[in-house]
Amino acid sequence: MTEFPLPRALRTVDQPMAFTPDEMLRGALIAWGTFLALLAAGLVVLGLGTALSSGRLDLGGVGPFIMLVLFVLLLAAIASGVVMSFGLLLVRAIARSLRTVRSFTAHLAVYSFLGIFVGFLYLAVVTSGRPFGVMEFLPGGAVIAYPALAAAVALPFGWWWTARRALREDAGTTPPRRPQRDRDAVAEDRATN
């Protein structure tokens, strides 16, 4: 019987999955940027779908639509930035408790759950405590629910991207993001020049 190896993403790693503050911030920024990109793409797709389904594709409405998308993205960037700032405290505690867990799958599951939880909280706030009743807001239910979906995808993706990069840097297969400078050598070079 032939055994099929697990994909690399589902294997355990040889070392503890510790993190640095830079890696945590990098993951948060990647998740934030991914959330905003998914939100923008979703708004454009939903806007195009609405325009095509109504049978009226008016080019005069493109400018106002772009302004609306940019306004929504600005509001979403500010709100999600505030949420991310406070969420980093929770993520730091979660990351510390998981630093000895070597299973990539366990980490991905925890951050996926965290993304779903953030999306659920968003829906609870937007729907006045009835997150499962979001589709009662039809036809705008999809527009209301899309940020929750974007958050549920962005959080685990931010962790995965950052963990993958950090593990590659630790293994020496990817150069470090910022070259490490020896401060003593820099000071000695300045003194001799």
Side-chain angles (χ1 to χ4, degrees), residues 3 5 18-19 38-39 43 52 57 59-60 66 79 93 104 126 135 144 158 164 172 176 182:
E3 287 188 30
F19 67 97
L38 288 172
L39 186 60
L43 289 171
L52 291 174
L57 188 57
L59 293 179
I66 290 172
F104 210 83
V126 170
M135 288 313 192
I144 293 170
R164 183 173 155 256
D182 184 3

Side-chain angles (χ1 to χ4, degrees), residues 31-185:
W32 185 61
T34 302
F35 169 75
L36 293 174
L38 288 172
L39 186 60
L43 289 171
V44 168
V45 167
L46 290 171
L48 284 173
T50 303
L52 291 174
S53 69
S54 70
R56 297 182 315 151
L57 188 57
D58 181 18
L59 293 179
V62 171
F65 178 72
I66 290 172
M67 294 303 292
L68 176 67
V69 168
L70 290 176
F71 180 71
V72 169
L73 283 177
L74 177 65
L75 290 178
I78 292 169
S80 60
V82 169
V83 169
M84 179 185 67
S85 298
F86 289 108
L88 278 172
L89 299 173
L90 175 64
V91 168
R92 182 175 183 210
I94 290 170
R96 282 183 166 218
S97 67
L98 289 173
R99 69 178 171 226
T100 59
V101 175
R102 297 174 190 265
S103 171
F104 210 83
T105 307
H107 284 262
L108 192 57
V110 167
Y111 286 98
S112 295
F113 177 76
L114 184 60
I116 291 168
F117 180 70
V118 168
F120 183 80
L121 285 179
Y122 158 78
L123 286 176
V125 168
V126 170
T127 61
S128 301
R130 296 181 39 232
F132 295 112
V134 72
M135 288 313 192
E136 293 174 10
F137 296 99
L138 291 176
V143 175
I144 293 170
Y146 193 76
L149 178 63
V153 171
L155 272 136
F157 178 78
W159 175 84
W160 172 80
W161 183 270
T162 305
R164 183 173 155 256
R165 174 79 183 189
L167 290 171
R168 285 182 175 179
E169 286 175 2
D170 291 348
T173 59
T174 301
R177 197 158 179 93
R178 288 188 221 157
Q180 300 295 326
R181 295 187 334 174
D182 184 3
R183 292 181 184 178
D184 291 334

